[in-house]
Amino acid sequence: MLTSVVDLVGEDLLSWLGGLAVGGLFGFFAQRSRFCLRAAAIEFSRGESGQRLAVWLLTFAAALMGTQLFVALGWLDVSNARQLAQQGSISGALIGGVMFGCGMVLARGCASRLLVLSANGNLRALLSGLVFAVTAQAAWRGLLSPARDWLTRLWLVDGGPSRDIMSLFGGATPEKLAFSAIWLLAGFAFAFHSRLPPRLLWSALFTGVAVVAGWVFTYQLAEASFSPVALKSLTFSGPSADVLMLVLNSPYVRLDFDLGVVPGVFLGSLVAAAWARELRLEGFSDGLGMRRYLIGAVLMGFGAMLAGGCAVGAGITGASVFALTAWIVLIGMWLGAGLTDLIVDRGFPQKAGLTAGHRGQT
């Protein structure tokens, strides 16, 4: 079906338009659902079963179930995805995941959440997002890349079956579907328990569907294209750095899916916020609050590039194909977030000196 479209508009433009559309879908429903891993992790660490946790579970489960359902039907093959086919790093996943979890609590949002909030007029999120992108670029190809490379090589894992966490336990497609269904049932159970409004429930599900749409689109484009096309879905660490370098370095780059994701999410969130009349300018209340956000953004930027993805790129997109390192990253993020919330926001706020201004809603 995409072959005629590729012939009409070209592979590069179509790939960019696909990223723009998938990003727009994610941005719109992430804004409406208030999707946020940080908020969900804090609720969990405090022993609460609130609506933020239910939203995250539904989004995660929808991405997991949808991806595995398409694989089972033969409409999607994820074996060539970077998260499974290429060499990975266990050390990078664990250390980077913990760093990212710590950072997103300090910055009051993960990379995707910062982008969504930036489109709503939140200047704290906009500045934090820019620092995140700069740090990610420095960790990938700049000053911080030697440190990232050293930590990555501490514990490597080969690509192939050894990176598929279900294959390690003898699980195949039926087991993956069953496991995904358990997560989906858990999401609905938490939604019922927290009395999640139908609007938030459906928005959370469609936020997860955006990840599935990314996998399916890039797979179909690869099938229709004569040149190699990378199989991928939503992530924000690499694309944020790429968009930043596009703005600062050169306007002449090859269009691809990743370059469409960031502006797509921004536009989708902007439309959602305008439709709900939630556009408003917000800034820092003081210098101490600003310091907290910037430290968090740096930790997230380095952690994401070390881990091979952000809260969405590794925590949902990578996990949806049962990539071993992605699940390790996810565990690390929850641990880092819970520990930071305990020490900084609940345990020793005065000694930490980082909590001023943290109570503002983002």
Side-chain angles (χ1 to χ4, degrees):
M1 182 177 67
L2 287 181
T3 304
S4 58
V5 183
V6 170
D7 293 337
L8 180 65
V9 303
E11 176 190 310
D12 292 350
L13 180 58
L14 180 59
S15 180
W16 181 81
L17 290 174
L20 192 72
V22 172
L25 178 68
F26 178 89
F28 184 91
F29 287 108
Q31 198 279 340
R32 299 311 304 140
S33 66
R34 305 296 190 268
F35 168 77
C36 180
L37 174 58
R38 175 200 65 87
I42 288 177
E43 283 188 350
F44 180 79
S45 68
R46 296 183 181 185
E48 302 171 359
S49 300
Q51 294 185 355
R52 295 297 184 91
L53 181 57
V55 165
W56 186 88
L57 281 172
L58 286 170
T59 298
F60 178 80
L64 197 66
M65 188 70 194
T67 300
Q68 294 305 316
L69 184 60
F70 272 89
V71 171
L73 293 173
W75 298 342
L76 176 63
D77 182 2
V78 296
S79 60
N80 290 323
R82 169 184 62 84
Q83 294 89 339
L84 294 174
Q86 296 180 10
Q87 186 182 60
S89 171
I90 302 295
S91 56
L94 183 57
I95 300 171
V98 171
M99 289 183 65
F100 191 96
C102 295
M104 72 179 179
V105 170
L106 293 176
R108 291 191 63 77
C110 67
S112 63
R113 183 64 177 162
L114 294 178
L115 182 58
V116 168
L117 290 172
S118 297
N120 299 174
N122 191 311
L123 301 181
R124 300 188 300 270
L126 177 61
L127 178 59
S128 300
L130 289 173
V131 173
F132 166 83
V134 170
T135 307
Q137 181 63 29
W140 181 239
R141 294 189 180 93
L143 184 64
L144 300 177
S145 60
R148 176 194 57 79
D149 187 61
W150 182 79
L151 291 170
T152 296
R153 295 181 180 278
L154 290 177
W155 189 357
L156 298 174
V157 58
D158 292 332
S162 58
R163 286 201 70 182
D164 186 330
I165 191 171
M166 291 295 283
S167 294
L168 295 177
F169 295 99
T173 300
E175 288 78 14
K176 291 178 180 179
L177 280 174
F179 191 64
S180 302
I182 292 173
W183 278 95
L184 189 59
L185 289 174
F188 280 113
F190 273 85
F192 177 78
H193 178 74
S194 64
R195 298 181 180 179
L196 190 69
R199 174 182 62 84
L200 293 182
L201 186 150
W202 284 107
S203 295
L205 290 174
F206 276 108
T207 304
V209 166
V211 174
V212 184
W215 284 124
V216 174
F217 171 77
T218 56
Y219 176 72
Q220 294 298 324
L221 182 61
E223 292 290 292
S225 176
F226 291 104
S227 58
V229 174
L231 178 63
K232 61 179 65 176
S233 188
L234 291 172
T235 187
F236 294 94
S237 49
S240 295
D242 289 342
V243 170
L244 177 66
M245 294 308 296
L246 171 65
V247 173
L248 297 178
N249 190 30
S250 172
Y252 304 105
V253 297
R254 179 181 177 182
L255 295 175
D256 61 11
F257 181 84
D258 285 345
L259 283 180
V261 166
V262 172
V265 172
F266 188 91
L267 291 174
S269 177
L270 178 66
V271 170
W275 178 60
R277 298 182 179 179
E278 293 177 355
L279 291 174
R280 62 178 65 89
L281 285 176
E282 299 180 57
F284 293 101
S285 59
D286 53 46
L288 290 177
M290 182 177 182
R291 182 176 68 180
R292 172 195 173 107
Y293 281 82
L294 296 184
I295 292 173
V298 170
L299 286 172
M300 280 199 300
F302 186 82
M305 299 312 289
L306 178 60
C310 60
V312 172
I316 295 184
T317 298
S320 70
V321 296
F322 286 99
L324 170 64
T325 50
W327 284 79
I328 294 174
V329 170
L330 190 57
I331 293 171
M333 288 177 180
W334 284 79
L335 289 175
L339 183 63
T340 304
D341 176 59
L342 177 65
I343 295 175
V344 177
D345 289 342
R346 287 191 287 159
F348 310 99
Q350 298 301 323
K351 293 181 180 179
L354 295 171
T355 58
H358 83 277
R359 296 184 183 279
Q361 179 61 45
T362 61

